[in-house]
């Protein structure tokens, strides 16, 4: 099933205080990443959650930045946003695997509420189709993160 067929879903009702969220962007493809970041911020603004956005160099640095941010213990939840477009070499495969594996490892180690919008696409057109007003992976990542926050509020921090 394509995510184009998926329903964005509703913003979950949150028990307790609203989360403070850090959005970490890797704007190598600036227009695409900014579009997804705008989508994530729009979701957070709808519930009036505090949020801050920082930029880093690229997708490969996302796990490192997430770990630094988690260790700072200033935020309740995180969204990582980036885009890798396939080129002519194996570089794409290495960057995508390292970034995604690293992001998951940090999230599991630090028990993070995390939304991930790291596009790994064949063409820039595919990325653009996932970062606009009609279909936005940044908004999806924000809702996914909020569902994790709702779960933590319901179960308690583990």
């Amino acid at each position: 099933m394509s995510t184009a067929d998926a329903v964005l879903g509703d913003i979950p009702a949150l028990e307790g205080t609203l989360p403070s969220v850090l959005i970490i962007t890797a704007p190598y493809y600036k227009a695409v990443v900014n579009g997804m970041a705008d989508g994530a911020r729009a979701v957070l603004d709808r519930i009036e959650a505090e949020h801050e956005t920082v930029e880093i160099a690229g997708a490969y640095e996302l796990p490192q930045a997430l770990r630094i941010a988690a260790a700072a213990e200033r935020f309740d939840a995180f969204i990582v946003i980036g885009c890798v477009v396939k080129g002519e070499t194996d570089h794409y495969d290495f960057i995508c695997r390292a970034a995604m594996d690293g992001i998951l490892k940090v999230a599991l180690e630090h028990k993070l509420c995390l939304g991930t919008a790291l596009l790994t696409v064949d063409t820039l057109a595919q990325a653009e189709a996932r970062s606009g007003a009609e279909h936005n992976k940044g908004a999806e990542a924000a809702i996914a993160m909020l569902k994790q926050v709702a779960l933590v509020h319901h179960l308690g921090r583990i």
Side-chain angles (χ1 to χ4, degrees):
M1 175 172 138
S2 166
T3 57
D5 300 327
V7 177
L8 179 59
D10 294 326
I11 297 172
L14 298 176
E15 303 168 9
T17 59
L18 292 172
S20 174
V21 181
L22 180 64
I23 302 169
I24 303 171
T25 63
Y28 191 84
Y29 294 95
K30 200 164 193 68
V32 168
V33 171
N34 285 348
M36 289 189 292
D38 288 345
R41 285 189 290 264
V43 168
L44 297 174
D45 287 344
R46 281 182 51 196
I47 64 167
E48 299 180 351
E50 290 184 27
H51 56 85
E52 180 179 329
T53 303
V54 295
E55 285 188 7
I56 60 164
Y60 190 72
E61 290 76 26
L62 283 170
Q64 301 158 51
L66 181 60
R67 186 169 188 157
I68 291 166
E73 297 183 352
R74 287 186 43 212
F75 298 92
D76 304 309
F78 303 87
I79 301 170
V80 294
I81 298 175
C83 178
V84 184
V85 177
K86 189 166 182 61
E88 297 175 357
T89 68
D90 293 340
H91 182 73
Y92 169 87
D93 297 317
F94 297 124
I95 295 300
C96 294
R97 186 170 324 283
M100 292 302 288
D101 288 349
I103 290 166
L104 179 60
K105 182 178 179 182
V106 172
L108 293 173
E109 284 178 1
H110 291 273
K111 301 175 186 169
L112 302 181
C113 294
L114 173 68
T116 304
L118 176 55
L119 298 181
T120 56
V121 295
D122 290 327
T123 67
L124 189 55
Q126 291 172 337
E128 290 166 345
R130 289 158 177 80
S131 61
E134 191 171 313
H135 185 73
N136 191 294
K137 290 296 187 180
E140 288 180 22
I143 290 173
M145 175 273 303
L146 289 171
K147 288 181 178 183
Q148 291 182 352
V149 169
L151 179 64
V152 168
H153 285 183
H154 181 71
L155 297 175
R157 182 64 70 178
I158 54 172

